[in-house]
């Protein structure tokens, strides 16, 4: 069913939009979480068998989503709390993926950035393939203080540019963070937006402008 | 059928109106937004106005209907407490079954019973595994009916069979398995206390206790935003959609393992099903 085309959903739209679950996020894993001790070990081959059984017939072009890259596999295995040595390895590998704009300008258009920050669509099997990808920043972060619908999985970024004196070095660091958060924080739960080519360079610059432009509602 | 659908529409329209009223009451941002969501939840949590009970009624009829080449009803199906025994069965699923030498959840088990006990061609059942406006789902109906027979009871997941312990371990690995375009795993959203996505509170499912008990104790549920009664298989399918994974195979062993991991975290929690949610 297409939820968007459902008349009933439309009726509810105004309210549902307020509480609709979006999807991206950053979390700090709660290290104190108590878990049931279990002695059954699962080999990666066994786990792969289950994964294959969960996705036996994958549409062409989607196969690679089933295969973990090295960082994903390591972070899964270490429950997002990598050893110091592994963290170093991950951060070095991920830092190498970051491509800065050739003209050195890491700050784009905050108005476009706001759209990216609000948009949680793209890349889902329910989305048309040409659907523009959103960054869905609000799913996990507070940004503009006037926006009440924000998540708390990531830190609040309200007033971010102002708090950093709109400094060019801080803007470059933030660009890198959006591009690949794991370059500085191994196994961060924040998606590696640039490294996965999920967001374009322009989108990342625009989101960065949402943080760093003096006119942006984030700094109001 | 037509009358049921009409009634469901009325129910949804009423709920929508209540929702708007609740929202209209919200004064200022932040604190009052979560309060008004809480008020909305309380208002819709009324079994007499829950359209999922239409699924329960249809499920009851389906359960005792002779179907398949064997011409028998599902009353010959053993959900773990003996053929045809429904009371408390859902509260102990997923569990190990001798006849298949596998751990199965309710939906996987029902499919197996249809295919094996009834010898029913399940092509059509699977095509309607998730209901859409105007097309009801046998699985959603049966799950609503069967789960309701455990309502008020507590989850009892002892993991006494080695295959259950294995499935639990697999489920836990799957829970933490990061992948696809945004590096998400279940743990990305469900491993901290009191966190939210937008305004939606997220249960921490990495540990046993109230979060998992409340969550697992409220599925199947009528989703107001979808105007459909949804099962746990659908919930996991929808999570994987948001994780940018392809649609997972309905009734696959991996989904059952994940469900067993979650059900174990909910052990001892009381079922209140079918419920009604956003």
């Amino acid at each position: 069913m297409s939820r968007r085309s459902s008349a009933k959903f439309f009726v509810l739209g105004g309210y549902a939009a307020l509480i609709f679950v979006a999807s991206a996020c950053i979390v700090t894993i709660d290290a104190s979480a108590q878990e049931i001790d279990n002695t059954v070990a699962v080999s990666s081959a066994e786990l792969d068998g289950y994964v294959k059984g969960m996705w036996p017939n994958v549409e062409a072009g989607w196969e690679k989503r089933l295969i973990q890259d090295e960082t994903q596999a390591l972070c899964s295995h270490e429950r997002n709390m990598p050893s110091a040595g592994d963290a170093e390895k991950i951060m070095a590998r991920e830092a190498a993926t970051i491509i800065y704009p050739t003209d050195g300008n890491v700050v784009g258009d905050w108005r476009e950035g706001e759209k990216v920050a609000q948009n949680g669509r793209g890349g889902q099997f329910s989305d048309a393939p040409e659907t523009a990808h959103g960054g869905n920043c609000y799913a996990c972060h507070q940004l503009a203080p006037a926006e009440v619908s924000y998540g708390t999985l990531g830190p609040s970024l309200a007033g971010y540019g102002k708090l950093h004196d709109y400094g060019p070095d801080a803007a470059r660091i933030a660009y890198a963070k959006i591009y690949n958060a794991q370059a500085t924080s191994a196994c961060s739960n924040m998606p590696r937006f640039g490294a996965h080519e999920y967001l374009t360079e322009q989108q990342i610059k625009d989101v960065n402008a949402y943080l760093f432009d003096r006119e942006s509602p984030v700094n109001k | 059928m037509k009358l049921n659908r009409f009634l469901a529409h009325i129910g949804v329209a009423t709920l929508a109106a209540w929702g708007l009223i609740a929202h209209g009451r919200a004064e200022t941002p932040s604190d009052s937004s979560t309060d008004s969501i809480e008020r909305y939840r309380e208002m819709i949590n009324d079994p007499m106005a829950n359209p999922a009970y239409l699924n329960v009624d249809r499920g009851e009829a389906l359960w005792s209907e002779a179907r398949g080449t064997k011409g028998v009803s599902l009353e010959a199906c053993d959900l773990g407490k003996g053929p045809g025994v429904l009371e408390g069965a859902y509260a102990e699923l997923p569990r190990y079954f001798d006849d298949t030498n596998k751990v199965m959840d309710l939906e996987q088990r029902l499919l197996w019973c249809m295919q094996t006990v009834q010898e029913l061609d399940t092509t059509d059942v699977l095509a309607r595994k998730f209901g859409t406006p105007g097309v009801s789902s046998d699985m959603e109906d049966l799950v609503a009916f069967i789960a309701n027979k455990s309502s008020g009871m507590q989850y009892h997941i002892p993991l006494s069979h080695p295959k259950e312990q294995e499935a639990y371990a697999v489920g836990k690995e799957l829970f933490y398995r990061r992948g696809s375009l945004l590096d998400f795993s279940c743990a990305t959203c469900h491993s901290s206390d009191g966190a939210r996505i937008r305004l939606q509170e997220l249960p921490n499912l990495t540990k046993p206790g109230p979060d998992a008990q409340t969550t697992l104790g409220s599925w199947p549920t009528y989703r107001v935003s979808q105007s459909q009664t949804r099962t746990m298989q659908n919930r996991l399918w929808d999570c994987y959609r948001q994780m940018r994974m392809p649609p997972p195979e309905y009734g696959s062993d991996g989904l059952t393992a994940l469900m067993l991991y979650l059900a174990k975290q909910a052990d001892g929690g009381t079922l209140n099903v079918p419920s009604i949610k956003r």
Side-chain angles (χ1 to χ4, degrees), chain B residues 24-63:
Chain B
R25 236 188 257 156
E27 300 97 20
T28 36
S30 242
D31 293 346
S32 63
S33 342
T34 39
D35 288 350
S36 79
I37 289 170
E38 204 38 61
R39 282 202 298 275
Y40 170 70
R41 284 202 188 114
E42 279 166 24
M43 272 186 288
I44 64 173
N45 187 21
D46 173 6
M48 298 306 286
N50 183 350
Y53 282 87
L54 301 173
N55 300 82
V56 172
D57 290 348
R58 284 199 299 262
E60 182 169 21
L62 274 172
W63 177 254

Side-chain angles (χ1 to χ4, degrees), chain B residues 2-108:
Chain B
K2 274 199 176 144
L3 177 65
N4 285 351
R5 246 180 279 143
F6 173 71
L7 288 171
H9 279 256
I10 300 268
V12 169
T14 313
L15 294 169
W18 285 342
L20 291 167
I21 291 162
H23 177 41
R25 236 188 257 156
E27 300 97 20
T28 36
S30 242
D31 293 346
S32 63
S33 342
T34 39
D35 288 350
S36 79
I37 289 170
E38 204 38 61
R39 282 202 298 275
Y40 170 70
R41 284 202 188 114
E42 279 166 24
M43 272 186 288
I44 64 173
N45 187 21
D46 173 6
M48 298 306 286
N50 183 350
Y53 282 87
L54 301 173
N55 300 82
V56 172
D57 290 348
R58 284 199 299 262
E60 182 169 21
L62 274 172
W63 177 254
S64 53
E65 183 186 331
R67 295 206 291 184
T69 56
K70 288 200 178 164
V72 295
S73 76
L74 283 168
E75 288 156 319
C77 177
D78 181 357
L79 297 177
K81 300 181 79 75
V85 179
L86 295 170
E87 275 69 23
Y90 187 70
E92 297 181 15
L93 288 167
R95 71 187 295 156
Y96 171 78
F97 289 91
D98 240 341
D99 49 15
T100 56
N101 191 30
K102 269 169 69 149
V103 176
M104 302 171 103
D105 81 317
L106 176 57
E107 290 165 82
Q108 192 179 17

Side-chain angles (χ1 to χ4, degrees), chain A residues 28-84:
Chain A
T28 309
I29 297 297
D30 180 8
S32 66
Q34 327 133 24
E35 287 174 12
I36 293 166
D37 183 45
N38 68 89
T39 48
V40 184
V42 184
S43 72
S44 57
E46 257 178 304
L47 191 62
D48 285 349
Y50 277 91
V51 169
K52 283 201 180 79
M54 288 166 80
W55 289 281
N57 308 302
V58 175
E59 214 179 297
W62 284 67
E63 307 88 344
K64 67 172 195 283
R65 301 201 193 188
L66 301 185
I67 302 161
Q68 292 179 301
D69 69 17
E70 263 184 284
T71 296
Q72 289 172 336
L74 197 54
C75 293
S76 304
H77 185 68
E78 302 193 45
R79 308 294 192 240
N80 299 309
M81 292 178 282
S83 66

